[in-house]
Amino acid sequence: MLIQQTPEWGMGLFAVCQAAVLLALTPLMTGISRQIRARMQSRRGPGILQDYRDLGKLLKRQPVGPEQSGAMFRLMPWVLLSSMLLVAMALPVFTQTSPFGGAGDLITLLYLFALFRFFFSLSGLDSSSTFAGIGASRELTLGILVEPILILGLLVVALIVGSTNIGTISATLSQGWTSPLAIFMAFLACGFAAFIEMGKIPFDVAEAEQELQEGPLTEYSGADFALVKWGIGLKQVVVAEMFLAVFLPFGKAASMTASALLLALVVTVLKLVVVFVLASLVENSLARGRFLLTHRVTWMGFGVAVLAFVFYFTGL
């Protein structure tokens, strides 16, 4: 059955299943990152499936929050997880087009990432914790430095394709890069931004709750903490998959048959594993940098994104 002939309710159901698959793969991908980090630091480390066990234990525990916290503190875990699930539904992960085209616009996806960061930071302030407040302010600062790189890089690709729909972009670039130099510069810029958004060194230590991107988690516990950790891990998977869907859109199913979708699932898992392995290798080869000097590094990525924009205007 061709994708174009699939009814809307069928594609909607497929989008929900796609998001569920990415959600289920999230602990596996974060577990691979933790295992690589441990091996490169000459430690045995936890098993690859340890994150599944951690989530299972946390979900059974009662959440406890500060007495001064408000509704934003309790609402944040659900906003984080639901916003990333919506992005996961909109991405062309297994098919050449987006199964949930209504949310498949790049502008919509970037707003969902901004919503994630806004609620994540606001919950840290709502907890009345000093550590969480500092982490929230750092998270917003990092967003100001990183988001323009991602926006400009994706804008260049959208201008070349002539559409901001991520499904259209993925289907067009799967046939070849029409402006190879501009797209390659956008590829480097978006890859740099995706690396930062995945919470990697030297910009973050993902397992340290008082660090840049997990500072607002200081006061979370129990099931709420499990949902937040799952949402942060899902964001890493979604960011990596969005990068792959735009710049490396191969291995997609051209029809809604079981064999084609199974092959697309295998290819998708392999691509995600390669991305997480490469990101972990790069991360653990770098030293932690000072946060106040972060802008000196992110300016390099923004310069590459601007260069991609210049190459687009010059027809390269």
Side-chain angles (χ1 to χ4, degrees):
M1 182 187 299
L2 296 177
I3 297 175
Q4 292 81 358
Q5 298 175 351
T6 305
E8 292 186 3
W9 66 267
M11 292 304 294
L13 181 61
F14 179 78
V16 173
C17 295
Q18 173 180 285
V21 170
L22 292 183
L23 184 65
L25 288 174
T26 294
L28 176 62
M29 297 301 152
T30 54
I32 291 174
S33 297
R34 294 179 65 183
Q35 184 63 217
I36 293 175
R37 182 185 304 115
R39 294 298 181 179
M40 293 186 68
Q41 295 174 357
S42 300
R43 297 185 288 110
R44 182 177 180 181
I48 293 179
L49 303 180
Q50 182 61 43
D51 282 359
Y52 288 102
R53 294 188 285 269
D54 290 343
L55 289 174
K57 288 187 294 184
L58 288 171
L59 287 172
K60 297 176 183 178
R61 298 177 181 176
Q62 180 180 1
V64 178
E67 185 178 356
Q68 300 85 359
S69 62
M72 190 63 63
F73 180 85
R74 292 181 288 273
L75 185 63
M76 185 271 278
W78 300 99
V79 175
L80 258 61
L81 199 57
S82 60
S83 61
M84 289 301 102
L85 284 173
L86 186 58
V87 176
M89 291 172 60
L91 294 177
V93 179
F94 305 119
T95 56
Q96 295 178 346
T97 59
S98 173
F100 187 41
D105 190 86
L106 286 179
I107 299 175
T108 303
L109 297 179
L110 292 173
Y111 269 113
L112 288 172
F113 283 116
L115 182 70
F116 180 102
R117 175 169 277 117
F118 174 75
F119 273 84
F120 189 67
S121 303
L122 200 58
S123 67
L125 298 175
D126 192 43
S127 67
S128 302
S129 168
T130 304
F131 282 118
I134 294 174
S137 64
R138 289 181 170 184
E139 168 69 11
L140 290 175
T141 303
L142 192 64
I144 294 173
L145 296 174
V146 176
E147 288 178 358
I149 303 174
L150 186 61
I151 292 172
L152 188 56
L154 293 176
L155 178 63
V156 170
V157 179
L159 289 173
I160 293 173
V161 174
S163 173
T164 58
N165 185 276
I166 192 169
T168 303
I169 293 173
S170 180
T172 303
L173 294 187
S174 64
Q175 302 173 3
W177 291 3
T178 54
S179 301
L181 195 54
I183 295 180
F184 180 71
M185 290 293 105
F187 169 86
L188 295 178
C190 290
F192 178 75
F195 180 81
I196 301 175
E197 290 284 14
M198 292 173 69
K200 301 298 183 181
I201 295 174
F203 306 98
D204 184 35
V205 179
E207 292 184 353
E209 274 65 44
Q210 276 76 41
E211 290 293 338
L212 302 185
Q213 291 188 329
E214 297 204 18
L217 305 189
T218 306
E219 301 295 337
Y220 279 95
S221 62
D224 287 348
F225 186 55
L227 292 177
V228 176
K229 293 287 287 185
W230 211 348
I232 292 175
L234 181 59
K235 180 185 178 182
Q236 296 182 24
V237 174
V238 164
V239 168
E241 183 54 45
M242 184 174 71
F243 174 76
L244 292 172
V246 173
F247 296 100
L248 300 172
F250 61 86
K252 309 286 185 180
S255 61
M256 298 295 288
T257 60
S259 58
L261 292 175
L262 181 60
L263 179 61
L265 174 62
V266 173
V267 173
T268 298
V269 173
L270 291 177
K271 289 195 295 184
L272 284 175
V273 169
V274 170
V275 170
F276 272 81
V277 169
L278 290 177
S280 299
L281 292 175
V282 173
E283 172 192 19
N284 294 283
S285 302
L286 301 174
R288 179 66 195 275
R290 292 177 57 191
F291 176 73
L292 295 178
L293 301 180
T294 303
H295 66 281
R296 299 186 180 181
V297 182
T298 55
W299 270 111
M300 177 180 64
F302 186 74
V304 174
V306 172
L307 193 60
F309 205 67
V310 172
F311 285 156
Y312 161 72
F313 275 113
T314 57
L316 299 176

